[in-house]
């Protein structure tokens, strides 16, 4: 949007910028970033003339995008849209987390942490965040700020969740990595992700990370076997359906590892009644 952002709506500027960056790369991400910005902007200030004018233009842009993307299931079906955004956010998070734990600190990994946190914000358009996504968002925002400040001041950051308050954050991250990360993560291609050494100044507005280029492969887990009769609740069926949608979204990015992982989660839930 060419319209200048009113200062009262400054809180949504990074979500709008992320939407702009994904205009051509991933229009679904762009759409939901703008939807989040519009919903948040309405709560911030929908009364003053400049804010109302800005938000009306944003609504018009969303309506236009919705018509153009009308055939896309990620727009027409909330469950698929949620899976699309969550998958994208967690792929960025896992890439940045892997770089961080390997001691590789550079602008792209900071950008990846930061964008992941913004996209986890965006998930709130579908309802309340899960505890796992809430903790991932909190950690990603902290890490992006912490590493950015260290490099800006010429200091060497500490890898991993060391030094962050709240054991629940660390526990959640360790649990997530146990099922999401391979034992030997694949390394990003140097021509896709240029690295910057300590002292680089992180600029969140101009680093391009192509989707799928930074996602580590996933190690398939053992397929669970059905033991006896399993009584499933309606919530179990909903969760299994969600994992199948996630798998479909991963295949859009040709991310076989994530697709297999989510299908295995669905299979385990349906065969054992547990996640």
């Amino acid at each position: 949007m060419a319209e200048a952002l009113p200062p009262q709506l400054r809180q949504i500027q990074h979500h709008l910028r992320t939407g702009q960056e994904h205009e051509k790369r991933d229009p679904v991400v762009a759409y939901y970033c703008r939807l989040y910005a519009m919903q948040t902007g309405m709560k911030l200030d929908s009364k003053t003339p400049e804010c109302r004018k800005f938000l009306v233009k944003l609504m018009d842009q969303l309506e236009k995008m919705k018509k153009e993307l009308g055939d896309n299931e990620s727009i027409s079906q909330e469950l698929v849209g949620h899976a699309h955004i969550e998958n994208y956010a967690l792929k960025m998070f896992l890439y940045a987390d892997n770089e961080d734990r390997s001691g590789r600190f550079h602008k792209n990994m900071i950008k990846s942490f930061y964008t992941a946190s913004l996209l986890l914000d965006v998930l709130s358009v579908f309802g309340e965040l899960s505890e796992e996504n809430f903790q991932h968002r909190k950690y990603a925002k902290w890490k992006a700020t912490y590493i950015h400040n260290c490099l800006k001041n010429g200091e060497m950051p500490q890898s991993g969740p060391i030094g962050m308050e709240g054991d629940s954050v660390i526990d959640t991250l360790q649990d997530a990595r146990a099922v999401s990360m391979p034992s030997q993560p694949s390394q990003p291609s140097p021509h896709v992700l240029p690295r910057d050494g300590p002292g680089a100044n992180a600029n969140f507005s101009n680093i391009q990370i192509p989707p799928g280029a930074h996602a580590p492969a996933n190690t398939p887990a053992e397929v669970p076997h059905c033991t006896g009769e399993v009584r499933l609740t309606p919530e179990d069926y909903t969760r299994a359906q969600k994992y199948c949608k996630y798998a479909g979204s991963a295949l859009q990015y040709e991310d076989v590892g994530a697709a297999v992982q989510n299908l295995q989660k669905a299979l385990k839930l349906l065969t054992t009644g547990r996640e």
Side-chain angles (χ1 to χ4, degrees):
M1 288 176 59
E3 192 77 21
L5 182 70
Q8 301 95 310
L9 303 181
R10 186 179 170 189
Q11 185 180 320
I12 62 174
Q13 65 179 335
H14 295 297
H15 301 88
L16 288 171
R17 183 179 296 161
T18 300
Q20 186 65 38
E21 289 173 354
H22 287 79
E23 183 90 53
K24 292 183 172 61
R25 191 192 314 171
D26 192 323
V28 172
V29 170
Y31 174 82
Y32 283 113
C33 283
R34 287 164 181 160
L35 181 60
Y36 172 84
M38 192 268 290
Q39 291 180 355
T40 306
M42 293 289 286
K43 294 173 190 171
L44 290 171
D45 188 343
S46 61
K47 299 284 197 299
T48 55
E50 64 270 29
C51 289
R52 182 180 290 275
K53 182 181 177 184
F54 183 89
L55 291 170
V56 166
K57 288 203 170 187
L58 187 55
M59 284 181 204
D60 291 342
Q61 188 180 30
L62 281 165
E63 282 301 314
K64 183 181 177 184
M65 290 186 76
K66 195 169 186 179
K67 286 179 183 176
E68 291 172 351
L69 300 170
D71 294 335
N72 192 316
E73 283 192 346
S74 293
I75 301 297
S76 60
Q77 297 183 37
E78 279 198 2
L79 195 62
V80 184
H82 184 284
H84 187 103
I85 300 301
E86 184 177 52
N87 236 18
Y88 196 100
L90 292 182
K91 282 169 72 173
M92 298 196 88
F93 179 93
L94 289 172
Y95 158 69
D97 191 44
N98 184 46
E99 289 291 276
D100 174 40
R101 288 167 190 262
S102 300
R104 293 187 291 267
F105 305 106
H106 49 89
K107 289 193 291 185
N108 272 352
M109 65 93 74
I110 297 171
K111 170 75 171 181
S112 228
F113 264 136
Y114 188 67
T115 303
S117 75
L118 295 176
L119 293 177
L120 290 167
D121 282 341
V122 170
L123 278 181
S124 64
V125 302
F126 303 101
E128 191 174 349
L129 291 186
S130 68
E131 178 63 19
E132 184 180 357
N133 285 334
F134 177 82
Q135 297 292 1
H136 276 95
R137 180 181 66 176
K138 182 178 179 180
Y139 183 80
K141 285 185 178 178
W142 169 70
K143 263 294 176 180
T145 304
Y146 166 70
I147 298 170
H148 169 65
N149 288 338
C150 282
L151 298 188
K152 185 179 179 182
N153 296 327
E155 300 169 4
M156 177 58 70
Q158 285 184 291
S159 296
I162 299 168
M164 183 176 185
E165 296 178 3
D167 291 339
S168 62
V169 177
I170 297 172
D171 291 342
T172 302
L173 288 162
Q174 289 172 340
D175 291 344
R177 285 181 63 84
V179 297
S180 301
M181 297 294 286
S183 55
Q184 293 184 334
S186 58
Q187 300 303 321
S189 302
H191 68 279
V192 174
L193 293 161
R195 284 158 53 181
D196 297 79
N201 183 24
N203 184 341
F204 293 147
S205 65
N206 60 9
I207 306 165
Q208 300 297 318
I209 303 177
H214 44 50
N218 290 282
T219 304
E222 183 180 350
V223 177
H225 299 284
C226 186
T227 55
E229 185 180 352
V230 178
R231 295 184 181 276
L232 299 174
T233 66
E235 289 77 16
D236 290 332
Y237 286 111
T238 300
R239 283 201 294 273
Q241 184 184 28
K242 179 181 73 172
Y243 287 132
C244 290
K245 296 291 186 184
Y246 288 178
S249 178
L251 288 174
Q252 289 182 355
Y253 289 105
E254 300 179 2
D255 188 346
V256 176
V260 169
Q261 177 192 330
N262 281 294
L263 288 172
Q264 286 170 339
K265 286 182 180 179
L267 184 59
K268 181 182 178 184
L269 180 59
L270 293 172
T271 54
T272 68
R274 297 189 304 274
E275 290 191 75

